[in-house]
Amino acid sequence: MSLSIGIVGLPNVGKSTLFNALTHAGAHVAKYPFTTIEPNVGVVPVPDERLAHIAAIVQPEKATPTTIEFVDIAGLVRGASKGEGLGNQFLGHIRNVDAIALVVRYFSDPDVAHVEGTADARRDVATIHTELALADLATLEKRSEKIRQAARSGDKAAQAELALAERMLAHLNQGRPARTLALHLEEAEIARAWNLLTAKPILYVANVGECATGSPEWQAAGAEMAAIAQAERAQAVTICARLEDELAELSPEDAMAYLADLGLNQSGLLRLIQASYRLLHLVTFFTATGKKEVRAWTVVRGTKAPQAAGKVHTDMERGFIRAEVISYPELMAAGSFQVAHEKGLVRLEGRDYVVQDGDIIHFRFSPP
């Protein structure tokens, strides 16, 4: 699947710096608001050491990682839901992504003015949430007006949607995001069609200026972001966008040495991606097509084998017969597919098999 993460926040919080580091895209960064009017988009390979280890066994012509798309969306300001700072246009960009990475400024820099004068993480988060909620309220009020007449005439579907819209409006008016309202399956299907901004899964990103993990700034920022995220079942990570920008210019070996000096064993990119996967309940499986290619694929946790096959090719889903499956740890222990087969580690699974993270799968199917 194509995973899209929108990088959102107030102006001058480090969004474009982070985007540049993640994608090496070189988006223009300036010291004034609204430097990103059209969203910058970058597709980033997902680092996964398992892909390299599988490739070392198979020795294919190429190894292809799965990818994640980052979208650098212009800074939102107070009043964005009413069009301030081209807000309506920017809010529209957020509707097109799968999840939101909300960047919150913790760093101090006299050369980069904060749009509110001073940095205050909880206030800044509240400002973003308020603008997204106001936009959702407008969306739901408009939708309610549209279906109210049909509901009054006895249309059962319209009545169900109107009742849910009124519940959601009350929920939003209490200052709660749409994603925290408990919905049963049928209600979730109705709400999905509204494409509400506050229904998007959210990942809080604390952008600190002091880049060592043991620093008071890093620890305080991480604790505050974690508390905010926990309150609404979200995810949170602490990064130093300036550091990530510097790492992007180094060789992999030098980058790892630099991270180790700062007490970090992973880059911000990897931690951001891992948090995004947890947020969206994603898993990775692999295919190894002989000596041609080893490839990583991303699916939602709970995906069954035929639907996973469809990610590789639609013909595989339509003509699905069986899946030959081995887990990553079992393949590593065996050392080769031949030994794995000899030891009976490769299983045959049917249509009801749920794909697990790290599965290496060969799909048997009947071509059309």
Side-chain angles (χ1 to χ4, degrees):
M1 64 183 295
S2 177
L3 172 64
S4 178
I5 306 290
I7 302 177
V8 174
L10 297 176
N12 294 346
V13 298
K15 298 186 312 301
S16 292
T17 301
L18 174 61
F19 175 82
N20 291 343
L22 295 177
T23 66
H24 299 188
H28 177 63
V29 181
K31 296 178 181 178
Y32 50 87
F34 311 123
T35 59
T36 310
I37 294 179
E38 289 300 322
N40 297 301
V41 179
V43 178
V44 180
V46 174
D48 193 326
E49 64 181 10
R50 295 175 299 182
L51 180 66
H53 294 161
I54 297 168
I57 289 175
V58 178
Q59 297 187 347
E61 295 175 12
K62 62 178 179 178
T64 305
T66 189
T67 59
I68 185 170
E69 180 181 271
F70 286 99
V71 183
D72 181 20
I73 297 171
L76 296 177
V77 295
R78 199 180 302 276
S81 59
K82 300 184 183 302
E84 291 294 328
L86 301 180
N88 289 333
Q89 180 181 350
F90 300 158
L91 289 167
H93 295 153
I94 299 173
R95 294 192 193 279
N96 297 325
V97 300
D98 297 306
I100 296 170
L102 176 52
V103 181
V104 183
R105 176 172 171 171
Y106 279 88
F107 66 88
S108 299
D109 189 336
D111 295 326
V112 182
H114 191 287
V115 70
E116 297 279 5
T118 59
D120 182 323
R122 289 189 177 272
R123 179 205 62 207
D124 295 349
V125 167
T127 296
I128 297 295
H129 283 335
T130 297
E131 296 308 320
L132 298 183
L134 288 172
D136 282 350
L137 284 168
T139 295
L140 279 178
E141 287 165 357
K142 184 177 180 180
R143 180 60 185 167
S144 296
E145 286 301 315
K146 187 173 181 178
I147 62 175
R148 186 165 279 115
Q149 184 174 349
R152 286 173 179 165
S153 69
D155 185 311
K156 297 298 184 183
Q159 289 174 347
E161 183 175 1
L162 183 61
L164 179 59
E166 290 174 346
R167 272 181 60 208
M168 186 67 78
L169 283 166
H171 187 76
L172 291 168
N173 275 315
Q174 291 172 356
R176 302 175 185 175
R179 61 184 163 272
T180 62
L181 179 63
L183 303 174
H184 58 64
L185 187 60
E186 293 81 2
E187 289 175 329
E189 286 297 321
I190 295 171
R192 191 173 295 113
W194 298 334
N195 199 15
L196 299 178
L197 299 173
T198 64
K200 302 281 185 187
I202 193 163
L203 167 62
Y204 291 97
V205 183
N207 184 15
V208 299
E210 176 53 59
C211 301
T213 56
S215 70
E217 181 185 0
W218 185 291
Q219 298 295 330
E224 187 168 47
M225 282 293 93
I228 291 173
Q230 186 175 19
E232 54 178 274
R233 302 188 301 275
Q235 293 285 326
V237 294
T238 304
I239 63 158
C240 177
R242 173 174 59 82
L243 169 64
E244 298 301 321
D245 209 18
E246 293 172 1
L247 290 172
E249 303 298 323
L250 301 177
S251 69
E253 295 76 16
D254 288 343
M256 288 304 298
Y258 191 8
L259 286 169
D261 288 342
L262 294 170
L264 294 164
N265 57 14
Q266 294 178 321
S267 69
L269 167 62
L270 185 54
R271 288 184 290 110
L272 192 61
I273 289 174
Q274 289 172 341
S276 299
Y277 270 50
R278 291 193 299 271
L279 182 70
L280 294 172
H281 309 291
L282 302 176
V283 297
T284 299
F285 74 93
F286 303 89
T287 55
T289 53
K291 293 293 185 179
K292 186 176 181 181
E293 182 183 29
V294 170
R295 183 163 181 169
W297 307 85
T298 300
V299 293
V300 176
R301 188 178 299 279
T303 296
K304 293 185 177 180
Q307 289 67 52
K311 295 292 181 181
V312 181
H313 198 286
T314 54
D315 287 347
M316 289 187 176
E317 181 174 1
R318 286 196 294 263
F320 179 86
I321 300 173
R322 286 282 188 274
E324 296 181 9
V325 183
I326 182 171
S327 71
Y328 171 77
E330 287 174 329
L331 178 61
M332 291 301 104
S336 73
F337 279 102
Q338 180 178 341
V339 173
H341 277 286
E342 291 171 354
K343 291 186 174 182
L345 299 175
V346 180
R347 315 181 308 274
L348 280 180
E349 302 286 358
R351 291 184 170 275
D352 291 332
Y353 177 71
V354 175
V355 173
Q356 302 298 306
D357 186 55
D359 278 349
I360 301 99
I361 307 177
H362 173 68
F363 296 105
R364 294 184 182 180
F365 69 105
S366 176

